[in-house]
Amino acid sequence: MGRTLFTGGRVFDGTGTAPEAADVLVEDGVIVGVGTELAIGDGDRVVDATGRIVLPGLIDTHVHLTLSDINLVNRVSNPFSLHFFQAVVNCRKTLETGITTVRDAAGADLGLKQALARGLIEGPRTLIAVNMISQTGGHNDGNLSCGVDLALFAQHPGVPSGIADGPDEMRRTVRTMLRAGADVIKVATTGGVLSPSDDPRHAHFRPDELAVLVAEANAAHVHVMAHAQGVEGIKNAVRAGVRSIEHGIFLDDEAIELMLAHGTWLVPTLIAPTSVIEAAQRGELHEPAVLDKALEVASVHRDAVAKAIEAGVDIALGTDTGIGPHGDNLRELPLLAECGLPAYEVWAAATSRAAELLGLSDRIGRVAPGLTADLVLLEGELTDLSDLRGRVTETWQAGRRVYNRREDGNRS
């Protein structure tokens, strides 16, 4: 692959400090130097970053690559295989927004992950949960009272059912997800907004069920992420030992103290309720109960996240993209800032902190020698969080340019 020198720009290293003037030298997909006096050799490729900031490839720790909208009509009328082809487009849009690594929180199977890893399609490096584990009648149970199953994540050989009740079924279901290739186990410990027949405030699964889930995940050396919105479900998940709370809408002081004591992360996904409301405004949402819940939780959600940030809970970027349009992921960043996270810490949440949550700090998330050369070139200042997608000019993944606004902008 040879060597590439990014010169003339400022570097944000991902740790939360202000950008500084520096060059970045990449060789064979790895960062080998960061500084102001890097030597250039004959045949080296030079990228002029003047006027731009070089930052680590961004990381979104909560997406759904195979989910393209929440339109009820589409869910019952689209051919089964269509969502695979839509995922190819979604993966490309993700790269174009500067995101080079994601954690898919349900829906993507091992085939999509391997297609990305083998270069058959272009998209972010992907960790997969396969499917979300839910109790009967819970957030991932798509069976409606009319007898129709409208699960958001269609079951097929690569995505087995996530419904489990009782410790024995929980153990079997976790092992089934691991067999299907899960890099992380996702569990719903409360109801949710998009599931019309449950309540986000209600706790799902009992402590003995969650204890088995975490024990099986620990045995396989994988983390657990918990969809948890109501406060009792959040506390149950934290006490059980999950790695991260996703959403955290109704966090209270006791839950925050528990998260601090256990070192539990928060992935806020502040844009998710807004995305549901916007879908309804576009005429794409046909379930009044879902809209009512989104309207109810939007302001509560931001207040809870602000309290968690003020208390010092670890924050990582996650967007729930798929609920909202792919390519709009960076709309989450100004929402984090509005909740009190300083601008450079917002960028750290999208880079080094997200890498830490995923257990990938030794590979990605910072601009530092020895790490994979995932890089983004951004116009403007990091303290300005407006129009972020429009300011990404280039995305590099493992030392290869995968998006160039000048050449690819018309495809966005």
Side-chain angles (χ1 to χ4, degrees):
M1 188 180 293
R3 304 203 315 172
T4 302
L5 181 69
F6 297 81
T7 185
R10 290 178 293 152
V11 172
F12 174 77
D13 67 3
T15 64
T17 59
E20 296 183 354
D23 297 338
V24 180
L25 184 61
V26 172
E27 184 172 6
D28 295 332
V30 176
I31 299 168
V32 295
V34 181
T36 56
E37 297 181 358
L38 300 180
I40 185 171
D42 293 338
D44 286 352
R45 182 180 190 179
V46 177
V47 176
D48 184 2
T50 301
R52 295 181 285 178
I53 297 174
V54 181
L55 61 157
L58 306 178
I59 303 167
D60 191 335
T61 69
H62 191 130
V63 303
H64 299 283
L65 292 173
T66 63
L67 185 63
S68 297
D69 61 53
I70 53 175
N71 186 316
L72 182 62
V73 173
N74 288 345
R75 284 160 61 189
V76 299
S77 62
N78 284 342
F80 168 75
S81 61
L82 182 62
H83 73 284
F84 294 112
F85 299 99
Q86 290 174 321
V88 175
V89 177
N90 299 340
C91 288
R92 177 66 199 177
K93 287 180 178 179
T94 303
L95 277 184
E96 292 176 358
T97 201
I99 293 170
T100 54
T101 300
V102 300
R103 180 175 62 172
D104 189 279
D109 68 352
L110 189 58
L112 179 60
K113 177 183 175 179
Q114 290 188 356
L116 289 163
R118 296 177 186 182
L120 300 178
I121 59 175
E122 288 192 323
R125 182 180 300 102
T126 302
L127 305 181
I128 59 173
V130 181
N131 206 351
M132 174 168 56
I133 300 176
S134 167
Q135 70 178 39
T136 295
H139 185 47
N140 198 30
D141 187 346
N143 287 279
L144 305 182
S145 56
C146 64
V148 174
D149 185 351
L150 289 181
L152 277 175
F153 311 111
Q155 296 175 33
H156 58 85
V159 178
S161 170
I163 304 302
D165 296 292
D168 290 341
E169 282 191 16
M170 179 69 83
R171 178 175 289 107
R172 183 179 299 107
T173 302
V174 172
R175 292 175 178 177
T176 299
M177 295 303 161
L178 293 168
R179 182 179 65 187
D183 302 296
V184 60
I185 296 299
K186 183 181 180 184
V187 60
T189 64
T190 69
V193 170
L194 284 181
S195 41
S197 59
D198 62 23
D199 190 321
R201 294 166 294 189
H202 292 171
H204 290 178
F205 288 124
R206 305 290 76 79
D208 59 340
E209 295 169 303
L210 295 176
V212 168
L213 177 139
V214 172
E216 290 298 321
N218 288 344
H221 301 284
V222 302
H223 295 148
V224 177
M225 57 190 299
H227 162 100
Q229 299 181 353
V231 67
E232 291 307 317
I234 292 170
K235 293 173 186 176
N236 288 342
V238 173
R239 292 187 183 108
V242 306
R243 174 77 164 172
S244 63
I245 296 296
E246 313 293 309
H247 316 304
I249 291 172
F250 293 100
L251 278 167
D252 66 7
D253 291 339
E254 182 185 6
I256 290 171
E257 291 174 5
L258 278 171
M259 292 179 72
L260 291 169
H262 285 77
T264 311
W265 290 73
L266 176 63
V267 179
T269 69
L270 289 160
I271 194 64
T274 300
S275 296
V276 174
I277 296 167
E278 291 173 346
Q281 292 169 343
R282 294 191 301 267
E284 297 176 1
L285 183 67
H286 306 280
E287 298 161 287
V290 171
L291 176 59
D292 289 344
K293 287 192 283 186
L295 291 168
E296 177 187 359
V297 305
S299 61
V300 175
H301 193 185
R302 297 189 187 195
D303 291 344
V305 173
K307 290 175 65 175
I309 289 172
E310 183 179 11
V313 172
D314 289 323
I315 304 291
L317 174 71
T319 64
D320 221 353
T321 295
I323 305 302
H326 293 271
D328 280 359
N329 310 58
L330 301 190
R331 291 178 63 194
E332 180 78 10
L333 274 63
L335 298 181
L336 290 172
E338 290 173 11
C339 288
L341 198 62
Y344 295 147
E345 290 300 320
V346 169
W347 290 102
T351 53
S352 64
R353 302 293 280 157
E356 184 179 351
L357 168 62
L358 301 185
L360 298 176
S361 294
D362 60 339
R363 295 175 53 195
I364 59 173
R366 291 175 291 123
V367 180
L371 272 63
T372 301
D374 290 353
L375 301 170
V376 172
L377 274 62
L378 184 78
E379 294 175 330
E381 297 296 329
L382 295 187
T383 51
D384 177 8
L385 296 172
S386 63
D387 188 30
L388 288 174
R389 185 185 183 191
R391 290 160 47 196
V392 172
T393 63
E394 297 182 25
T395 305
W396 294 69
Q397 190 178 45
R400 185 174 69 90
R401 184 160 56 190
V402 293
Y403 172 68
N404 182 350
R405 189 179 66 187
R406 184 177 303 172
E407 298 174 2
D408 302 328
N410 292 333
R411 303 191 318 182
S412 299

